Amino acid sequence: MSSSTITKESGSVSSNEGLPIYYDCYLPPNSGAEPLPVVIFLHGFKGFKDWGAFPEACAAISEAGFAVAAMNFSLNGVGESMTEFDQLDLFARETLSQDLEDVRSMISAIHNEQVFPAGSSVDTGSIGLLGHSRGGHTAVAAAAEYAEVASVVTWSAVADYNARWSEDMISDWENKGVTEIMNGRTGQVMPVKDVVYKDALENADRLMAVKRARELTIPALFIHSKGDEAASYDNAEQLYRNCASDHKDLKLIEDSGHTFDTAHPFDEDEFPEAFQQALDYTTAWFQKHLQ
């Protein structure tokens, strides 16, 4: 795990609501020479771009010859601290529709040269999406929605978010307009308003990954752990089966969890074997289909 040669810069672009979409961009040496293909990283539910090993993973992908942009969704609940859920009012209304719009905003900002530093050369005709968990769900929908996306890779992706709402959550939304979930890592009680549920139901054809996978014609790779405790690996199998692309693959990793044996904070000298395996699959896929 080496990223000492990578240039990392941070900034924000505006969402369609005018809220900041915070990002980090990673560039390898000599990034002003040949145009670099772009990879956009999307975090999951109760996640953020700086979670655990994600920054080191983005740096490693960049080292393999990519311009990488890791973004925070505008309503993910993490503000300028970058690591604390200090905007629960925003988190409470983070819809899948807004996440999808944020990806559009990031793609547009990259095209308009607002993300990567002046003088760097990126190939905006060669954009890949990498998403973890709910971010993988959104990555599939975005790959079907936006013609600029040339390849997609998911880590531990959810296939159908509408299949994840529990009876208690639905009852809360119908009777109180809000439900509460516990963040096991921080101990915070986090509200989720009924607008999240209604959006997912009313716009299911546009938002549900398992539906949008049927529209994919670009190269698509679905990576999942057989030991995933949060989203079982049959999610990846569903996405793979439904994916219409002639260039698709499914990689199931043994004996690791939802984040491939990584945790937050991540302070190891090396990636766990499962995480390294997922990263190797990802890098090889993008090298084959974007470079």
Side-chain angles (χ1 to χ4, degrees):
M1 187 173 71
S2 170
S3 58
S4 58
T5 61
I6 295 299
T7 300
K8 177 182 177 182
E9 295 195 11
S10 303
S12 68
V13 298
S14 290
S15 75
N16 60 326
E17 291 187 326
L19 292 171
I21 300 170
Y22 296 109
Y23 67 83
D24 296 319
C25 61
Y26 301 79
L27 289 167
N30 303 317
S31 57
E34 292 294 317
L36 295 171
V38 176
V39 173
I40 302 173
F41 176 76
L42 311 178
H43 66 77
F45 184 60
K46 294 185 293 183
F48 43 92
K49 63 180 175 58
D50 294 285
W51 187 95
F54 291 161
E56 289 85 354
C58 288
I61 294 170
S62 182
E63 268 192 324
F66 298 92
V68 179
M71 56 181 278
N72 274 356
F73 290 110
S74 62
L75 299 180
N76 78 333
V78 176
E80 293 181 0
S81 71
M82 300 300 158
T83 58
E84 304 300 324
F85 287 98
D86 49 14
Q87 297 180 332
L88 292 182
D89 56 325
L90 299 184
F91 175 88
R93 62 179 186 90
E94 185 187 0
T95 61
L96 291 168
S97 285
Q98 187 57 51
D99 287 354
L100 193 54
E101 287 301 318
D102 285 353
V103 178
R104 184 201 301 272
S105 296
M106 180 58 70
I107 291 173
S108 295
I110 291 171
H111 272 272
N112 293 331
E113 301 181 355
Q114 295 173 302
V115 174
F116 294 99
S120 55
S121 180
V122 300
D123 183 358
T124 55
S126 188
I127 294 178
L129 295 181
L130 168 61
H132 174 254
S133 192
R134 171 168 159 163
H137 188 281
T138 294
V140 172
E145 183 98 354
Y146 305 133
E148 296 91 341
V149 180
S151 184
V152 61
V153 176
T154 67
W155 290 355
S156 311
V158 175
D160 182 351
Y161 236 88
N162 279 332
R164 291 182 67 82
W165 314 125
S166 70
E167 291 183 7
D168 286 344
M169 295 172 79
I170 294 171
S171 177
D172 282 347
W173 283 321
E174 290 177 345
N175 294 304
K176 299 186 295 184
V178 64
T179 192
E180 293 179 333
I181 60 167
M182 175 67 73
N183 186 323
R185 181 179 63 84
T186 67
Q188 287 173 287
V189 176
M190 306 176 76
V192 179
K193 292 182 177 179
D194 59 357
V195 64
V196 176
Y197 175 57
K198 291 175 180 177
D199 172 68
L201 288 184
E202 293 169 5
N203 301 296
D205 287 344
R206 181 185 182 217
L207 298 175
M208 294 304 111
V210 72
K211 294 176 179 286
R212 298 307 300 265
R214 298 169 189 156
E215 303 171 44
L216 289 182
T217 57
I218 60 173
L221 172 63
F222 309 100
I223 304 172
H224 221 103
S225 164
K226 284 190 173 182
D228 192 329
E229 73 290 348
S232 63
Y233 69 88
D234 68 314
N235 282 269
E237 292 177 328
Q238 286 182 61
L239 291 171
Y240 176 78
R241 284 196 306 270
N242 280 273
C243 180
S245 176
D246 293 331
H247 303 285
K248 63 179 181 177
D249 202 358
L250 171 66
K251 298 291 189 184
L252 298 179
I253 296 174
E254 302 286 348
D255 301 326
S256 66
H258 191 56
T259 56
F260 305 109
D261 291 338
T262 60
H264 183 82
F266 179 77
D267 53 10
E268 305 298 322
D269 293 330
E270 301 292 337
F271 293 131
E273 182 179 351
F275 191 87
Q276 184 66 61
Q277 194 174 355
L279 187 57
D280 289 345
Y281 286 145
T282 301
T283 301
W285 187 263
F286 283 141
Q287 285 176 324
K288 180 177 181 181
H289 296 290
L290 289 182
Q291 286 181 343

